[in-house]
Amino acid sequence: MKKLTINSNEEVKEVFKTYPSHIRKKILYLRKLILETAKEITEITDIEETLKWGEPSYITKHGSTLRIAWKEKAPNQYAIYFKCTSKLVATFKTVFKDTFTFDDKRAIVFQTNDNIPEAELKQCISATLQYHKVKNKSKLGLEK
């Protein structure tokens, strides 16, 4: 597998530490899937890990920002967020309507006891990390 340069902001680690331990494991699992997916895409050599709105966020040169977070007001769920003005979530709803739970045009939401459909989520992550290259493809190039 190719080398991926992760340009990480140290403050991101501090945010992970603020999550309850059972949630931290879930959020770090999402982080692992994001970084794994980026490594699998030949064209991606760098990914920026930073904070947007105080939440861990990931962006690549030709991608759209994605964020991962848990919020106290919904303690039994966590989510992966996408830019709401993009076609991402609308397309994910079409392709994966029976696979994921969505929050309007902005997120895929997981309950703490959910089993994450890893292959399908990695397709969503891949489309996001390459968004400006796939946004004009039918269904962003996604397949169920």
Side-chain angles (χ1 to χ4, degrees), residues 58-71:
Y58 302 83
I59 184 75
T60 60
K61 183 177 179 181
H62 298 288
S64 179
T65 302
L66 60 102
R67 295 178 289 122
I68 52 179
W70 169 83
K71 301 180 188 296

PDB file of all heavy atoms in Angstrom, residues 58-71:
ATOM      1  N   TYR A  58     -11.596  16.080   7.748  1.00  0.00           N
ATOM      2  CA  TYR A  58     -10.644  15.500   6.808  1.00  0.00           C
ATOM      3  C   TYR A  58     -10.901  16.078   5.420  1.00  0.00           C
ATOM      4  O   TYR A  58     -12.038  16.127   4.967  1.00  0.00           O
ATOM      5  CB  TYR A  58     -10.776  13.970   6.804  1.00  0.00           C
ATOM      6  CG  TYR A  58     -10.554  13.436   8.189  1.00  0.00           C
ATOM      7  CD1 TYR A  58     -11.590  13.410   9.123  1.00  0.00           C
ATOM      8  CD2 TYR A  58      -9.280  13.065   8.613  1.00  0.00           C
ATOM      9  CE1 TYR A  58     -11.369  12.993  10.430  1.00  0.00           C
ATOM     10  CE2 TYR A  58      -9.053  12.653   9.916  1.00  0.00           C
ATOM     11  CZ  TYR A  58     -10.101  12.622  10.819  1.00  0.00           C
ATOM     12  OH  TYR A  58      -9.868  12.230  12.108  1.00  0.00           O
ATOM     13  N   ILE A  59      -9.809  16.483   4.764  1.00  0.00           N
ATOM     14  CA  ILE A  59      -9.943  17.060   3.429  1.00  0.00           C
ATOM     15  C   ILE A  59      -8.724  16.665   2.588  1.00  0.00           C
ATOM     16  O   ILE A  59      -7.608  16.580   3.092  1.00  0.00           O
ATOM     17  CB  ILE A  59     -10.116  18.604   3.482  1.00  0.00           C
ATOM     18  CG1 ILE A  59     -10.348  19.214   2.104  1.00  0.00           C
ATOM     19  CG2 ILE A  59      -8.951  19.268   4.157  1.00  0.00           C
ATOM     20  CD1 ILE A  59     -11.711  18.988   1.542  1.00  0.00           C
ATOM     21  N   THR A  60      -8.983  16.410   1.318  1.00  0.00           N
ATOM     22  CA  THR A  60      -7.925  16.118   0.348  1.00  0.00           C
ATOM     23  C   THR A  60      -7.980  17.164  -0.764  1.00  0.00           C
ATOM     24  O   THR A  60      -8.954  17.920  -0.864  1.00  0.00           O
ATOM     25  CB  THR A  60      -8.099  14.716  -0.268  1.00  0.00           C
ATOM     26  OG1 THR A  60      -9.363  14.673  -0.939  1.00  0.00           O
ATOM     27  CG2 THR A  60      -8.010  13.627   0.780  1.00  0.00           C
ATOM     28  N   LYS A  61      -6.960  17.179  -1.592  1.00  0.00           N
ATOM     29  CA  LYS A  61      -6.840  18.184  -2.651  1.00  0.00           C
ATOM     30  C   LYS A  61      -8.074  18.255  -3.552  1.00  0.00           C
ATOM     31  O   LYS A  61      -8.523  19.336  -3.907  1.00  0.00           O
ATOM     32  CB  LYS A  61      -5.591  17.885  -3.491  1.00  0.00           C
ATOM     33  CG  LYS A  61      -5.314  18.891  -4.576  1.00  0.00           C
ATOM     34  CD  LYS A  61      -4.032  18.560  -5.316  1.00  0.00           C
ATOM     35  CE  LYS A  61      -3.786  19.560  -6.421  1.00  0.00           C
ATOM     36  NZ  LYS A  61      -2.576  19.239  -7.165  1.00  0.00           N
ATOM     37  N   HIS A  62      -8.618  17.125  -3.929  1.00  0.00           N
ATOM     38  CA  HIS A  62      -9.764  17.106  -4.847  1.00  0.00           C
ATOM     39  C   HIS A  62     -11.048  16.654  -4.160  1.00  0.00           C
ATOM     40  O   HIS A  62     -11.994  16.242  -4.830  1.00  0.00           O
ATOM     41  CB  HIS A  62      -9.472  16.201  -6.052  1.00  0.00           C
ATOM     42  CG  HIS A  62      -8.314  16.674  -6.863  1.00  0.00           C
ATOM     43  ND1 HIS A  62      -8.371  17.796  -7.665  1.00  0.00           N
ATOM     44  CD2 HIS A  62      -7.050  16.219  -6.966  1.00  0.00           C
ATOM     45  CE1 HIS A  62      -7.200  17.988  -8.232  1.00  0.00           C
ATOM     46  NE2 HIS A  62      -6.379  17.044  -7.827  1.00  0.00           N
ATOM     47  N   GLY A  63     -11.054  16.727  -2.828  1.00  0.00           N
ATOM     48  CA  GLY A  63     -12.201  16.220  -2.096  1.00  0.00           C
ATOM     49  C   GLY A  63     -13.063  17.296  -1.474  1.00  0.00           C
ATOM     50  O   GLY A  63     -12.789  18.490  -1.569  1.00  0.00           O
ATOM     51  N   SER A  64     -14.096  16.830  -0.829  1.00  0.00           N
ATOM     52  CA  SER A  64     -14.990  17.669  -0.038  1.00  0.00           C
ATOM     53  C   SER A  64     -14.710  17.327   1.426  1.00  0.00           C
ATOM     54  O   SER A  64     -14.381  16.187   1.747  1.00  0.00           O
ATOM     55  CB  SER A  64     -16.442  17.349  -0.410  1.00  0.00           C
ATOM     56  OG  SER A  64     -17.327  18.126   0.358  1.00  0.00           O
ATOM     57  N   THR A  65     -14.862  18.292   2.296  1.00  0.00           N
ATOM     58  CA  THR A  65     -14.586  18.067   3.715  1.00  0.00           C
ATOM     59  C   THR A  65     -15.566  17.078   4.308  1.00  0.00           C
ATOM     60  O   THR A  65     -16.768  17.132   4.029  1.00  0.00           O
ATOM     61  CB  THR A  65     -14.680  19.401   4.490  1.00  0.00           C
ATOM     62  OG1 THR A  65     -13.745  20.316   3.929  1.00  0.00           O
ATOM     63  CG2 THR A  65     -14.392  19.214   5.960  1.00  0.00           C
ATOM     64  N   LEU A  66     -15.060  16.178   5.133  1.00  0.00           N
ATOM     65  CA  LEU A  66     -15.946  15.342   5.935  1.00  0.00           C
ATOM     66  C   LEU A  66     -15.512  15.448   7.380  1.00  0.00           C
ATOM     67  O   LEU A  66     -14.345  15.663   7.680  1.00  0.00           O
ATOM     68  CB  LEU A  66     -16.008  13.897   5.446  1.00  0.00           C
ATOM     69  CG  LEU A  66     -14.785  13.044   5.398  1.00  0.00           C
ATOM     70  CD1 LEU A  66     -14.796  12.114   6.595  1.00  0.00           C
ATOM     71  CD2 LEU A  66     -14.843  12.205   4.153  1.00  0.00           C
ATOM     72  N   ARG A  67     -16.498  15.374   8.273  1.00  0.00           N
ATOM     73  CA  ARG A  67     -16.249  15.516   9.711  1.00  0.00           C
ATOM     74  C   ARG A  67     -16.821  14.303  10.428  1.00  0.00           C
ATOM     75  O   ARG A  67     -17.763  13.683   9.945  1.00  0.00           O
ATOM     76  CB  ARG A  67     -16.946  16.772  10.265  1.00  0.00           C
ATOM     77  CG  ARG A  67     -16.428  18.062   9.727  1.00  0.00           C
ATOM     78  CD  ARG A  67     -17.188  19.275  10.289  1.00  0.00           C
ATOM     79  NE  ARG A  67     -18.533  19.361   9.767  1.00  0.00           N
ATOM     80  CZ  ARG A  67     -19.640  19.366  10.499  1.00  0.00           C
ATOM     81  NH1 ARG A  67     -19.588  19.300  11.809  1.00  0.00           N
ATOM     82  NH2 ARG A  67     -20.826  19.434   9.928  1.00  0.00           N
ATOM     83  N   ILE A  68     -16.253  14.015  11.594  1.00  0.00           N
ATOM     84  CA  ILE A  68     -16.782  12.955  12.445  1.00  0.00           C
ATOM     85  C   ILE A  68     -17.027  13.543  13.830  1.00  0.00           C
ATOM     86  O   ILE A  68     -16.201  14.333  14.315  1.00  0.00           O
ATOM     87  CB  ILE A  68     -15.857  11.722  12.499  1.00  0.00           C
ATOM     88  CG1 ILE A  68     -14.419  12.101  12.862  1.00  0.00           C
ATOM     89  CG2 ILE A  68     -15.896  10.966  11.179  1.00  0.00           C
ATOM     90  CD1 ILE A  68     -13.451  10.918  12.957  1.00  0.00           C
ATOM     91  N   ALA A  69     -18.156  13.185  14.442  1.00  0.00           N
ATOM     92  CA  ALA A  69     -18.437  13.803  15.737  1.00  0.00           C
ATOM     93  C   ALA A  69     -19.495  13.040  16.520  1.00  0.00           C
ATOM     94  O   ALA A  69     -20.280  12.265  15.976  1.00  0.00           O
ATOM     95  CB  ALA A  69     -18.897  15.243  15.546  1.00  0.00           C
ATOM     96  N   TRP A  70     -19.478  13.320  17.797  1.00  0.00           N
ATOM     97  CA  TRP A  70     -20.488  12.885  18.756  1.00  0.00           C
ATOM     98  C   TRP A  70     -20.954  14.144  19.456  1.00  0.00           C
ATOM     99  O   TRP A  70     -20.158  15.050  19.710  1.00  0.00           O
ATOM    100  CB  TRP A  70     -19.865  11.912  19.757  1.00  0.00           C
ATOM    101  CG  TRP A  70     -20.743  11.612  20.937  1.00  0.00           C
ATOM    102  CD1 TRP A  70     -21.756  10.687  20.973  1.00  0.00           C
ATOM    103  CD2 TRP A  70     -20.689  12.184  22.238  1.00  0.00           C
ATOM    104  NE1 TRP A  70     -22.329  10.672  22.211  1.00  0.00           N
ATOM    105  CE2 TRP A  70     -21.697  11.593  23.022  1.00  0.00           C
ATOM    106  CE3 TRP A  70     -19.902  13.177  22.829  1.00  0.00           C
ATOM    107  CZ2 TRP A  70     -21.925  11.927  24.344  1.00  0.00           C
ATOM    108  CZ3 TRP A  70     -20.124  13.518  24.153  1.00  0.00           C
ATOM    109  CH2 TRP A  70     -21.130  12.892  24.898  1.00  0.00           C
ATOM    110  N   LYS A  71     -22.247  14.214  19.747  1.00  0.00           N
ATOM    111  CA  LYS A  71     -22.786  15.400  20.407  1.00  0.00           C
ATOM    112  C   LYS A  71     -23.534  14.987  21.673  1.00  0.00           C
ATOM    113  O   LYS A  71     -24.293  14.020  21.656  1.00  0.00           O
ATOM    114  CB  LYS A  71     -23.694  16.164  19.453  1.00  0.00           C
ATOM    115  CG  LYS A  71     -22.937  16.603  18.194  1.00  0.00           C
ATOM    116  CD  LYS A  71     -23.809  17.357  17.233  1.00  0.00           C
ATOM    117  CE  LYS A  71     -23.152  17.640  15.916  1.00  0.00           C
ATOM    118  NZ  LYS A  71     -22.030  18.475  15.893  1.00  0.00           N
TER     119      LYS A  71
END
